[in-house]
Amino acid sequence: MSASDRGELLRAPLFHTPRNPFLVDRALECHWDGGLLIRDGRVAAAGDFGTTRTANPEATVVDLRGGFLLPGLIDTHTHFPQLRVLGGLGRSLLDWLEACALPEEARMSGEAYAGETARAFVHGLVSHGTTTALVFGAHFAAATAALFEAGRASGLRIASGLVMSDRRLRPELHQTPESAYRDSSDLIRCFHGRGRLLYAVTPRFAFSASEAMLEVCQTLRREHAGLRFQTHINENPQEIADVAKLFPWATDYLAVYERFGLGGRGAVMAHNVHPTEAEIGRLAASGTAVSHCPCSNAALGSGIFALQRHVKAGVRVALGTDVGGGTGFGMLKEALQAYLLQRVVSEGPKLNAAQLLYLATRAGAEALGLEEDIGDFQSGKAADIVYIRPPAKTPLAAVLERTETPEQALAAIFTLAGAECIQQVRVEGSVVYE
Ligand SMILES: [Zn+2]
C-alpha cells in the first residue's frame, strides 16, 4: 500500500457544518479530540480520533493538537485589481469607484503590473485560509488571464472572469460588446474547467453595461456549460436610482438581469443591501445567491444587509470580503463583521458560531454550486482544510486555554483569529500554504 492509500489521519479538534444552521438545530458538528482521515485528496472520515484510528490502524497520524481544523474558507465576492486600494476609507460607492478603484483598475492594462498584483492577491487569499474564491477579474483580458495563472500556480479553486463594461466608467475600461465576447470566449477556452479553475461571466453592474453587453453575457452562458455568473446589485441608493434611469422598462434592479437570463444556480450577486420584497422573493425562487459583504457595506456606508429577510425568504446567502471596498482578505473577520452588524439592528438575529462557520464555508459552496465537492468534511468531499493555531502569547491562545465548550472556542476563533493564526492550508489534501 502506498502512503496515499493508507491515508493521513490529522488529529485536532475539528468543526464543520454539513447542515444549514439557519434551518436546523445542532447543525454544528464538532469533535473535540477529532480525527480527519484524508485518502487520495478526499475526506475518508471525520469523527472522534479514537474511533477513526481504530478503524484505520494503517493511517499515518499527524498530531495537530493545539490547533483546530475547519473546512477551507470560501470567499464569494472579491476583486483582484483592487488589492492596492484597500484602506480607502471615507467615501461612498460611486465616489470611491471614481477616486480609488477605477484609476487602479486602469493600471491593469500593464501586464507586468497585473501579474504582480494577481500573485499578491492570491497570496492574500491563501494566507487567510481561503481555499475557494469567486473573483472579479480585470477589464483587460491579459490581466484576467494573469489571475487565472496565479490561481493555477497556487493550487486554489478560483472562479473568475473578464469584467465587462461599455459605459459610464472611464474610457480605458470600456470594451465593445463584440470585443468583450471575443475576449471572454478565448478566456473560457483557456481556463474554464481546467484543474480547479472555473469561468464566471462578470458584467461589472447594470450601471456600466448596455443592453447589448448584457446580451453578450446571456450568449456566453448559453454557449458554454457550467459557467458561473457574478455581478453587483442594490448596493447604494444613488447607484440604484441611476440604474432605474438607464433601464426605464425594468420594474427593479433585478429585473434588468432577469431580462437577460442572468440569475439562477451558480449566479452570485454581491451586496443587495437595498432590495424590495419582490426582488428577495424572485432571488429565492430562482436559486440566485447573494454575497453579503459586511465590511464593505460598513466601510462604504452602503447600509446594513437584511440578513433575516433573505434567510426567511429562502435566499442563498454567503459571505464575501469585497477587496478593496472591504477591509481585507480575512473571511473569519468578515463573518465577525456580519455578526456585529446584525447585532446593531434592532430585533436583529444574534448569529451563533455555527452560523458564522456555515456562512464562511458551506454557504459559499452552495452559492457556487460546489456543495457536492467542498464546504464541509463529509466523506468523499475534497480535503480542503484550514488549520488554525494561535501563536503563543496571543489573546486567542489565552482565551482558548479557558473555553469550556466547542461553541465558545469557535466563537473565540471568529473573534480573534487573524492571518497569524493560519498555520496550514490544504486543497485536496495537498499543502498549498504553511
Ligand atoms: Zn464588489
Side-chain angles (χ1 to χ4, degrees), residues 164-239:
M164 301 158 75
S165 288
D166 60 349
R167 57 176 167 180
R168 296 177 62 104
L169 299 179
R170 30 170 68 211
E172 62 270 41
L173 295 178
H174 296 159
Q175 311 109 330
T176 62
E178 295 73 26
S179 71
Y181 174 77
R182 207 178 45 238
D183 287 348
S184 301
S185 302
D186 288 347
L187 288 164
I188 290 166
R189 274 191 288 276
C190 285
F191 299 110
H192 180 56
R194 300 295 167 95
R196 297 171 187 148
L197 305 178
L198 289 169
Y199 194 88
V201 175
T202 310
R204 185 169 197 120
F205 52 170
F207 181 94
S208 69
S210 67
E211 293 185 25
M213 191 61 103
L214 295 171
E215 230 175 272
V216 167
C217 296
Q218 182 172 33
T219 304
L220 290 167
R221 290 183 84 199
R222 280 195 187 133
E223 288 180 350
H224 304 273
L227 297 186
R228 279 22 179 209
F229 174 82
Q230 60 180 338
T231 192
H232 297 94
I233 190 168
N234 288 324
E235 181 173 2
N236 168 287
Q238 187 59 51
E239 168 215 11

Side-chain angles (χ1 to χ4, degrees), residues 20 22-23 280 306-315 317 359:
N20 182 341
F22 289 96
L23 302 179
I280 289 182
L307 180 63
Q308 194 102 298
R309 278 167 66 206
H310 282 78
V311 168
K312 272 198 181 145
V315 180
V317 177
L359 286 171

Side-chain angles (χ1 to χ4, degrees), residues 152-171:
R152 173 150 56 199
S154 72
L156 299 185
R157 298 176 198 280
I158 301 288
S160 186
L162 178 76
V163 183
M164 301 158 75
S165 288
D166 60 349
R167 57 176 167 180
R168 296 177 62 104
L169 299 179
R170 30 170 68 211

Side-chain angles (χ1 to χ4, degrees), residues 7 9 12 18 38 62 137 175 188 318 324 359 364 367 383 392 411 416 429:
L9 179 55
I38 307 171
V62 183
Q175 311 109 330
I188 290 166
L359 286 171
L416 290 163

Side-chain angles (χ1 to χ4, degrees), residues 77-79 82 136 232 235 270-271 293 296 322-323:
H77 184 69
T78 182
H79 298 251
Q82 294 179 9
F136 266 58
H232 297 94
E235 181 173 2
H271 304 305
C293 307
S296 167
D322 199 17
V323 168

Side-chain angles (χ1 to χ4, degrees), residues 262-317:
L262 303 176
R265 286 302 327 265
V268 179
M269 299 191 183
H271 304 305
N272 210 33
V273 177
H274 306 281
T276 64
E277 278 312 307
E279 286 175 303
I280 289 182
R282 276 151 41 219
L283 288 167
S286 64
T288 306
V290 169
S291 179
H292 170 37
C293 307
C295 288
S296 167
N297 295 164
L300 294 174
S302 301
I304 297 183
F305 181 68
L307 180 63
Q308 194 102 298
R309 278 167 66 206
H310 282 78
V311 168
K312 272 198 181 145
V315 180
R316 294 172 193 280
V317 177

